[in-house]
Amino acid sequence: MSTVVNVGTDLLAEGVEAQAVDVVRVDWRPPMPGTDTDLATVVADPLRHEANQRAVAAMLGVTARLVDVAPASEVLGLERGQFLHAGPPIDWERASGPLRGALMGGAALEGLVEDPEDAVALFESGANVSLEPCHHRSAVGPMAGVVTPSMWMFVLEDTETGRRTYCSLNEGLGKVLRYGAYGPDVLTRLRWMRDVLGPLLQSAVRSTRDAAGPVDVTGILTQMLQMGDEAHNRNRAGTLMMMRDLSPAMVTSGFDTADVAESMRFIGGNDHFFLNLAMPACKLALDAARGIEGSTMVVAMARNGTDFGIQVAGTGDEWFTGPAQLADGLFLGSYGPEDANPDIGDSAITETAGIGGFAMATAPAIVRLVGGTVPDALATTRRMHEITLGENPRWSIPVLDFQGTATGIDVTRVCRTGILPQINTGMAGRVAGVGQVGAGLVTPPAEIFPQALARLAERTRERAGA
Amino acid sequence: MTDPSPGTTHVELRAGAYADSVALLQVSRTVQGLDGVEAAQVAMATELNVDVLTSMGFEVPPTATPNDMVVAIRLADPAALDAALAGVEEALKNASRRSEGGAELAPHRTTAAALREADPDAVVLVSVAGQHALVEAMDALDAGHDVMIFSDNVPLEHEVALKRAAADRGRLVMGPDCGTAVVDGVGLGFANVVQPGPVGIVAASGTGCQQLLALLDHAGVGVSSALGVGGRDLSAEVGGLSAREALRRLDTDPAVELAVLVSKPPAASVAAELEKYAADLATPVELALLGADQPDLTESAERILTRLGVPVPEWPVVGTAGPATGKLLRGLFVGGTLAGESTLVARAALGTVGTELGDLTGPGHAIVDFGDDSLTAGRAHPMIDPTLRLDRLAQVAADPATGVIVLDVVLGHGAEADPASLLAPALAELSVPVIVTVVGTSSDPQGLDRQVQVLAEAGAEVHLSNARATRRALELLGSNA
């Protein structure tokens, strides 16, 4: 025995040190209030340890490749009047301003109404319209995450299993639909994306796939993390690497050269374009761990602007929800905290997979944008290792001696330490139609982790009784 | 929070603050010593601590939960409050001081995280409050490490779950409520300093193990390892799961010539199974299982020496107790097995001997273990915190019915730095004869000889053998019967 790990009274550590043996001290604190019994039940679950190992291995085993771009109506079977949105399920009545704004713009894009403002009555009546979370259709949506049948979707595939995930094309920043803006400029851009960008990307992705093999999105994530992107609020390197892979096929597509140039200018000028590939890549990996009985690993964190929800590998597709929090960060122009809507979007799937806020240390260029400092960023990334089951050897951070990012958020460790997952996020305006007002840092509401733990404990007891 | 009024008390709740019971004991002591402070208690608001605070005359707000820290101070002069509170802050800061070095890296918050960087042979030492111990210990087993659980008040079903998980993973769970272990020559918990030697011990009894270590050391026999398995391991519910694994390990250790299994009175079926298991091992096993009509620990030590061909020495006694003053035997122990052994020896001679705290002032003979779970919930073990026993000692000595008092003092790493000097002033004032067993080895940090000397000078008769000490007390009572 060369080392003793001491958890508890320091007197015992001192006794060991007095005998010239190394001691590692654990800075133990009591768990979140009321979780003692459930923690003991879940931790003693004979399935847990192996289930978590399988969950982490399944997640790390996935390689996401970009295999197609196609309209949501084709790949998701989305029909006229069906709307997808970010986060856990919600109805119009409880929907926040930015989600309402995005739904109104989406209704106009689909021609359900002439003027987006008219959509309010449509959604209030509920006739011939339905809302459903993106996550329920293997998709993820940034911010409001509204997807309508005519929107084009990236299609990612796990080569091994053929499983697929989907995400819409990124519109850029500022006044955009996903932030709840629906003015004429927003609709004009969406129509151009539908009529020009989507078909061009489909052609380029398909011919690249068929000639050189599909773009390895997981591989680009590996490289961009070493180039200063954390792949949530900064995707500059990733966007350019994707362009590098697709641009020959775009140029030779036979499409109108002005349209090709405009498309390349649009993608190159939008540092967030790759976010909509990072997100479904993360979902593809995390979905591999869904439904592993006994596993305490979080497989989704998502917000609809009203509620923050998580899903856990060992509890099927059940959502555990609490009120979405306001982000702490910096504001655009003259906007202030009173203009911001509570946290919104499926993009926390990046943190769930171990990048974004979990990889802040690799992106010093944006720490100030989201209201942090470089030492904070290093400390945050290190702190996330306290609540995760493993590390991702592919996603490593140079400044931390190439340590892999913290991967596989463990409900039990969150409840034990009270450390909440750190999320980098954009801030949408509270009022429908405003758009983006800032960016910052946010955490989930603490109570959803004890909720998930209680359900895990209930299942453990049911199994033991059966 | 209540505002201080002249000459009264200050009670303050700090939600979410946390420090372990030993650290808070040190803080309380420091604050008690400040100018103008009459009484002070800084403690987590566990049920037991709230009782203690109430008995001290403090009013604890009913909203207090075990996750809140209570700072309670009684002042002679209300003007001293600010200084006292500053003293609390300073003491808390010192108590939470961590070792120097690696300051920019925050320490890990869970055992699992700490183990990611630990050596493969690292042993985990758990001493968090009992209801939290399973979670940390399971981290150790999941990561493939042995674990010693010092914590008491660990629910029985947690112990069974941990030991079953350990059996699946080929790991050893020492404890819970395991005070003593020597692993690879390193003492963990309350461990005496021993020379390496031919004996290996498996102990379902902390102070029983220490008594053997002390007696063997006196006879010049070393011990290569002592694996504590917890007082309940040989119960029917646990079934000796850890004892089995520990014996298996000793059997594979070439340094061990003779293995010893020492336990509090075991479940008969478990004892029988373990006896069968031991018989199949290559290494001979000496069973030292306490119980009525079983050999006491001193006799077991003598048997071990005989099996090893080592002559049995005289067990030392220093000082001479005077005649009994009353008719009753009163034992105040910090060692559970020492209390148990003493009770077995005394019952054989006296018949009924009470073991509850209330019995110490009752009409009969009584021997109490102050380290019992019911007396340590939310506070430090009496080997670290002597307050409760010292209070009761004065009470018992003042009772004219008391004839002889027997006590134990346990030395070694982890125990009080100078227990004799804390006990001696109290002993010096007593007219009742006091017999003390000092359990320790010549290499213990407290200095065995010096501890014995200080106690003898305070008037006690000091033994190394607990069984002999108890018999001596009976002899004194006999002359008074």
Side-chain angles (χ1 to χ4, degrees):
Chain A
M1 177 179 60
S2 54
T3 313
V4 166
V5 173
N6 185 67
V7 51
T9 181
D10 201 52
L11 200 68
L12 298 179
E14 286 168 11
V16 173
E17 269 173 346
Q19 301 169 74
V21 172
D22 287 341
V23 176
V24 178
R25 287 169 166 83
V26 177
D27 183 17
W28 185 88
R29 317 276 176 85
M32 287 182 176
T35 60
D36 290 11
T37 311
D38 288 340
L39 270 175
T41 301
V42 171
V43 167
D45 178 357
L47 294 188
R48 178 194 48 90
H49 180 56
E50 206 215 324
N52 278 339
Q53 284 182 319
R54 270 199 292 142
V56 172
M59 171 172 54
L60 295 180
V62 170
T63 300
R65 293 194 166 83
L66 174 59
V67 294
D68 204 358
V69 177
S73 56
E74 284 177 29
V75 290
L76 298 179
L78 213 57
E79 291 172 13
R80 192 176 159 81
Q82 292 184 320
F83 292 81
L84 302 187
H85 63 82
I90 192 163
D91 55 24
W92 174 261
E93 200 177 321
R94 293 184 68 245
S96 64
L99 178 51
R100 286 182 172 201
L103 287 166
M104 289 155 67
L109 180 71
E110 295 302 317
L112 296 171
V113 289
E114 195 63 33
D115 181 343
E117 301 286 348
D118 297 339
V120 175
L122 179 70
F123 286 108
E124 276 175 355
S125 77
N128 303 318
V129 288
S130 66
L131 307 186
E132 186 185 3
C134 292
H135 268 291
H136 292 191
R137 299 224 187 185
S138 302
V140 271
M143 300 309 287
V146 166
V147 176
T148 60
S150 72
M151 288 184 186
W152 290 76
M153 309 294 284
F154 286 123
V155 180
L156 274 66
E157 187 177 277
D158 174 25
T159 321
E160 192 96 339
T161 60
R163 268 191 317 105
R164 291 182 165 199
T165 52
Y166 311 89
C167 188
S168 56
L169 312 182
N170 193 288
E171 316 160 69
L173 285 173
K175 289 217 178 288
V176 287
L177 188 79
R178 72 176 187 283
Y179 279 96
Y182 52 76
D185 293 355
V186 174
L187 291 173
T188 302
R189 189 188 306 112
L190 286 172
R191 290 190 183 108
W192 173 80
M193 289 171 72
R194 181 187 64 196
D195 299 336
V196 178
L197 183 65
L200 173 62
L201 278 174
Q202 181 180 63
S203 159
V205 165
R206 285 181 175 177
S207 57
T208 302
R209 175 193 72 193
D210 297 341
V215 174
D216 180 350
V217 176
T218 305
I220 291 180
L221 280 164
T222 300
Q223 296 176 59
M224 64 195 274
L225 283 170
Q226 304 206 354
M227 296 166 75
D229 284 351
E230 40 69 282
H232 187 171
N233 271 29
R234 185 178 152 102
N235 290 275
R236 178 171 287 187
T239 299
L240 295 176
M241 276 188 280
M242 190 212 70
M243 281 275 278
R244 181 188 62 178
D245 286 354
L246 291 182
S247 53
M250 289 168 80
V251 170
T252 58
S253 62
F255 281 59
D256 179 80
T257 53
D259 285 343
V260 172
E262 180 57 22
S263 296
M264 291 175 79
R265 197 177 298 118
F266 177 79
I267 295 169
N270 173 5
D271 284 345
H272 278 59
F273 200 78
F274 189 82
L275 174 62
N276 294 33
L277 286 163
M279 286 173 55
C282 289
K283 178 166 174 65
L284 194 62
L286 288 158
D287 278 357
R290 271 181 191 266
I292 297 181
E293 187 68 31
S295 172
T296 58
M297 192 178 93
V298 177
V299 294
M301 297 196 288
R303 321 83 105 194
N304 56 33
T306 304
D307 309 312
F308 191 120
I310 57 170
Q311 294 178 310
V312 179
T315 52
D317 291 336
E318 193 171 341
W319 288 98
F320 304 97
T321 61
Q325 310 287 298
L326 281 165
D328 182 13
L330 299 178
F331 292 89
L332 305 176
S334 60
Y335 291 122
E338 65 287 354
D339 300 313
N341 193 75
D343 196 23
I344 185 167
D346 287 336
S347 58
I349 197 75
T350 57
E351 279 82 8
T352 319
I355 51 180
F358 280 46
M360 272 293 268
T362 208
I366 58 140
V367 295
R368 278 185 293 190
L369 169 73
V370 291
T373 65
V374 171
D376 287 344
L378 294 175
T380 299
T381 292
R382 287 196 172 113
R383 193 165 65 244
M384 293 303 106
H385 287 276
E386 300 298 318
I387 57 169
T388 58
L389 293 164
E391 290 177 6
N392 188 333
R394 276 200 284 201
W395 293 347
S396 68
I397 296 183
V399 72
L400 293 181
D401 217 1
F402 295 94
Q403 183 181 22
T405 61
T407 295
I409 299 167
D410 180 354
V411 168
T412 67
R413 305 248 180 111
V414 174
C415 292
R416 285 166 67 181
T417 62
I419 296 172
L420 296 172
Q422 183 66 60
I423 297 164
N424 288 354
T425 192
M427 279 186 269
R430 200 166 45 78
V431 176
V434 168
Q436 185 175 15
V437 297
L441 304 173
V442 75
T443 57
E447 64 266 33
I448 59 181
F449 294 93
Q451 261 181 50
L453 180 74
R455 184 72 188 102
L456 286 162
E458 198 182 324
R459 287 173 84 112
T460 306
R461 289 185 202 109
E462 279 165 9
R463 251 187 284 115
Chain B
M1 196 191 294
T2 56
D3 284 328
S5 50
T8 53
T9 57
H10 172 85
V11 178
E12 177 188 335
L13 276 190
R14 298 186 180 189
Y18 172 78
D20 71 66
S21 57
V22 177
L24 289 175
L25 172 73
Q26 289 163 340
V27 170
S28 298
R29 276 190 196 167
T30 307
V31 178
Q32 274 158 21
L34 296 174
D35 283 345
V37 175
E38 284 183 341
Q41 186 83 356
V42 181
M44 301 309 290
T46 60
E47 205 177 327
L48 183 98
N49 286 339
V50 171
D51 283 352
V52 170
L53 284 156
T54 309
S55 74
M56 290 171 76
F58 291 111
E59 243 177 79
V60 181
T63 54
T65 75
N67 285 345
D68 298 327
M69 188 187 288
V70 187
V71 176
I73 306 173
R74 184 156 48 242
L75 301 151
D77 173 6
L81 178 64
D82 287 347
L85 287 177
V88 171
E89 294 314 319
E90 181 68 19
L92 279 171
K93 204 173 79 193
N94 290 339
S96 65
R97 183 181 50 83
R98 300 285 167 182
S99 61
E100 310 298 325
E104 82 277 13
L105 280 180
H108 292 298
R109 294 285 301 279
T110 63
T111 302
L115 282 171
R116 284 193 197 141
E117 291 146 35
D119 296 315
D121 69 342
V123 171
V124 175
L125 186 46
V126 177
S127 58
V128 296
Q131 78 268 30
H132 304 301
L134 171 138
V135 171
E136 302 301 322
M138 200 65 93
D139 279 356
L141 300 177
D142 285 346
H145 294 267
D146 293 339
V147 57
M148 168 164 166
I149 306 172
F150 185 86
S151 320
D152 53 18
N153 289 296
V154 174
L156 180 63
E157 66 269 24
H158 289 193
E159 177 170 351
V160 172
L162 279 169
K163 289 183 172 177
R164 287 196 181 142
D168 288 347
R169 294 160 170 79
R171 303 321 317 180
L172 177 64
V173 175
M174 292 176 270
D177 203 2
C178 176
T180 299
V182 179
V183 178
D184 296 340
V186 179
L188 302 175
F190 297 134
N192 302 93
V193 180
V194 292
Q195 300 304 311
V199 176
I201 298 176
V202 176
S205 129
T207 48
C209 177
Q210 288 188 280
Q211 172 78 95
L212 283 182
L213 292 174
L215 295 173
L216 294 175
D217 182 78
H218 183 74
V221 169
V223 171
S224 59
S225 42
L227 308 174
V229 293
R232 291 186 304 216
D233 194 66
L234 271 59
S235 67
E237 293 83 355
V238 184
L241 281 169
S242 282
R244 212 173 286 253
E245 172 64 17
L247 282 170
R248 192 190 66 73
R249 297 212 180 178
L250 294 185
D251 193 37
T252 59
D253 181 349
V256 175
E257 289 171 31
L258 177 65
V260 181
L261 174 62
V262 55
S263 173
K264 294 175 191 174
S269 59
V270 179
E273 277 171 36
L274 279 173
E275 199 166 349
K276 215 189 295 169
Y277 180 78
D280 289 339
L281 298 176
T283 309
V285 180
E286 173 74 30
L287 299 175
L289 307 175
L290 286 170
D293 308 321
Q294 295 292 317
D296 60 48
L297 294 165
T298 304
E299 288 170 59
S300 290
E302 289 167 355
R303 282 196 200 188
I304 293 163
L305 294 174
T306 305
R307 280 180 86 155
L308 292 169
V310 174
V312 175
E314 280 294 313
W315 303 119
V317 181
V318 179
T320 310
T325 50
K327 286 188 189 309
L328 298 179
L329 174 71
R330 256 83 190 254
L332 290 77
F333 282 78
V334 296
T337 300
L338 299 174
E341 182 188 43
S342 208
T343 306
L344 285 169
V345 170
R347 272 191 186 143
L350 302 173
T352 311
V353 177
T355 58
E356 299 295 323
L357 202 53
D359 295 335
L360 279 174
T361 48
H365 305 289
I367 294 176
V368 170
D369 167 23
F370 281 79
D372 188 82
D373 279 7
S374 63
L375 300 179
T376 59
R379 65 180 301 141
H381 193 277
M383 283 187 211
I384 302 171
D385 177 3
T387 326
L388 199 56
R389 182 165 77 156
L390 285 175
D391 285 352
R392 291 305 165 113
L393 176 60
Q395 202 181 357
V396 169
D399 181 352
T402 301
V404 184
I405 294 175
V406 289
L407 301 172
D408 59 346
V409 168
V410 184
L411 308 182
H413 286 298
E416 175 67 49
D418 190 2
S421 70
L422 289 174
L423 197 52
L427 296 183
E429 291 177 12
L430 306 184
S431 50
V432 188
V434 179
I435 315 262
V436 181
T437 306
V438 176
V439 176
T441 70
S442 50
S443 311
D444 280 336
Q446 294 89 348
L448 176 63
D449 290 346
R450 204 180 62 78
Q451 295 292 319
V452 169
Q453 204 57 45
V454 168
L455 291 167
E457 279 166 13
E461 178 177 318
V462 188
H463 289 244
L464 186 66
S465 155
N466 183 55
R468 294 292 177 90
T470 309
R471 294 210 164 86
R472 169 71 173 142
L474 294 171
E475 186 186 306
L476 291 178
L477 279 184
S479 64
N480 210 21

